[in-house]
Amino acid sequence: SPAPGQSVWEVVGPESAFALGFVFHPSDPSVVYAGADDGAGIWKSEDGGDTFNLVSSTAPDMSGYALAIDAEDPDLIYAGCGSGRGFFFSKDAGATWEINNVGLDSFAKRTMISILVDPQDSKRLYAATEGGVMLSDDRGLTWGPIGGTGGPAADPAGRARRSHEVRRPGPT
């Protein structure tokens, strides 16, 4: 049993992969999407995270490294994947998925780390990738790089790939 003030965590799926990306519906807090690695797909909860169901079965071997929702059209879900799969989107709240990598080179497709929908213009998307930062002005139909050359030549040590760290606050 947990110590006073501590919580108990329970696995609600998927049990064979890491959950990497999460995004909540902008107006319905009971709807949350979770992306998993190693082709374990995109999972959706409609009960605030008590249970999750796989919603990416139409896109085999899909991972969900990065997820985003269009606040103007919450049925439009974006997923950035790893393993060279690139960029997916769903127009029907995750029921079906399409892939679109127009303008993404092999480095940008390898792993999408983060996707951001511009809050001022939901047609504009930004994606942090292994190949650099990419921009789309048409909801992910086409992509182009933002500055720099990206790819391994721009970052030979691979530091940009996973440059975040989580630490517990405390004495230094």
Side-chain angles (χ1 to χ4, degrees):
S1 86
Q6 290 185 337
S7 300
V8 175
W9 289 78
E10 177 183 347
V11 175
V12 293
E15 293 188 24
S16 62
F18 295 108
L20 297 169
F22 290 92
V23 67
F24 285 86
H25 189 283
S27 59
D28 184 352
S30 66
V31 176
V32 61
Y33 295 85
D37 71 344
D38 295 334
I42 308 297
W43 296 69
K44 180 179 181 180
S45 173
E46 295 180 285
D47 56 14
D50 288 337
T51 60
F52 282 85
N53 295 302
L54 180 67
V55 293
S56 60
S57 59
T58 61
D61 299 324
M62 185 176 168
S63 300
Y65 281 70
L67 299 176
I69 289 183
D70 185 328
E72 291 181 14
D73 179 4
D75 285 344
L76 187 52
I77 315 297
Y78 302 110
C81 300
S83 305
R85 302 279 297 176
F87 177 76
F88 285 81
F89 63 94
S90 172
K91 297 178 185 177
D92 52 15
T96 60
W97 294 86
E98 299 176 48
I99 189 169
N100 191 337
N101 290 320
V102 174
L104 295 175
D105 64 20
S106 62
F107 297 112
K109 284 189 333 188
R110 194 171 348 188
T111 298
M112 282 197 163
I113 300 164
S114 180
I115 298 173
L116 174 69
V117 179
D118 188 323
Q120 303 301 316
D121 180 1
S122 69
K123 291 182 283 192
R124 178 170 278 200
L125 306 177
Y126 297 89
T129 76
E130 284 192 8
V133 178
M134 306 297 288
L135 170 68
S136 172
D137 281 320
D138 55 12
R139 290 191 165 95
L141 297 179
T142 58
W143 293 90
I146 296 179
T149 58
D155 184 19
R159 291 180 302 271
R161 291 189 186 130
R162 299 276 191 253
S163 61
H164 56 278
E165 182 176 305
V166 177
R167 292 185 181 200
R168 177 185 296 178
T172 56

